Amino acid sequence: MRQLLDRFFSATGYLAGLFMVGTLLSVLASILGRLHPVFDLPGADAYAGYCMAISAFLALAPTLRRGEHIRVTLLLNQLPAKGQRVLDILCHAVAIAMSGALAWFSIRLVLQSREFHDISSGLDATPLWIPQLGMAVGTTLFALAFLGDLILLLRGEALRDPSAGDEPSRIE
């Protein structure tokens, strides 16, 4: 199950990378549109922002699974092994609650935007539920990643393989 989730989160990371490329292409389209009006793409600046936001939210879960989020371990490292485990479990439970709430409200925002036919204020009049969907999916996957990590912690398994060189970044 862990390998399946890791593959899924890895695919999500690649999708986030594609949206980053979309950001680049939107910015380039905006620049070209200013230089040559023939190439003008209405809303290119807005699309760049949408792609950047979607990329950031989709990258949350794979970044967590790879251990790349910065962890402040000043207190954690001062505790004995059993205390570290308890604090890590507690922190993951709080993280699930917070990321779960963010996912819940992100999903509600998408549903409300769709229901009320919210559109962007720019010339492109993009239905806002479309770019908001990336935030909802990203935050939901982030909560799922925390849940997967908590299950591993409760089973006594390591979150990451230290020999694979993907130890979490730490601030001590």
Side-chain angles (χ1 to χ4, degrees):
M1 181 68 168
R2 181 177 180 180
Q3 290 178 343
L4 177 66
L5 279 176
D6 284 341
R7 284 188 194 143
F8 181 67
F9 291 134
S10 180
T12 306
Y14 285 113
L15 187 59
L18 285 176
F19 276 100
M20 189 61 74
V21 171
T23 303
L24 171 69
L25 294 176
S26 296
V27 169
L28 289 176
S30 177
I31 292 169
L32 282 176
R34 289 184 184 122
L35 294 175
H36 301 288
V38 174
F39 298 114
D40 188 32
L41 176 63
D45 293 334
Y47 294 136
Y50 299 151
C51 286
M52 188 182 316
I54 292 170
S55 176
F57 281 104
L58 288 180
L60 288 173
T63 304
L64 176 71
R65 291 298 286 187
R66 288 181 43 88
E68 297 295 330
H69 284 283
I70 296 173
R71 294 182 61 181
V72 180
T73 58
L74 183 64
L75 176 63
L76 191 66
N77 288 340
Q78 302 305 316
L79 296 174
K82 187 172 183 173
Q84 288 180 1
R85 184 176 186 280
V86 169
L87 184 59
D88 215 5
I89 289 171
L90 178 66
C91 288
H92 275 77
V94 170
I96 290 169
M98 293 177 70
S99 60
L102 182 60
W104 171 260
F105 288 109
S106 297
I107 292 168
R108 280 189 53 199
L109 179 65
V110 169
L111 295 175
Q112 288 174 348
S113 291
R114 187 167 163 82
E115 179 183 348
F116 298 128
H117 305 288
D118 285 343
I119 59 171
S120 67
S121 59
L123 294 174
D124 59 316
T126 302
L128 288 178
W129 69 268
I130 296 171
Q132 291 169 351
L133 190 61
M135 181 174 80
V137 169
T139 55
T140 302
L141 293 174
F142 193 43
L144 181 62
F146 272 121
L147 180 62
D149 279 0
L150 179 63
I151 290 170
L152 291 175
L153 283 171
L154 291 173
R155 291 160 93 187
E157 297 179 34
L159 294 182
R160 284 157 243 359
D161 181 13
S163 64
D166 57 353
E167 264 301 293
S169 302
R170 299 177 187 263
I171 293 179
E172 309 215 15

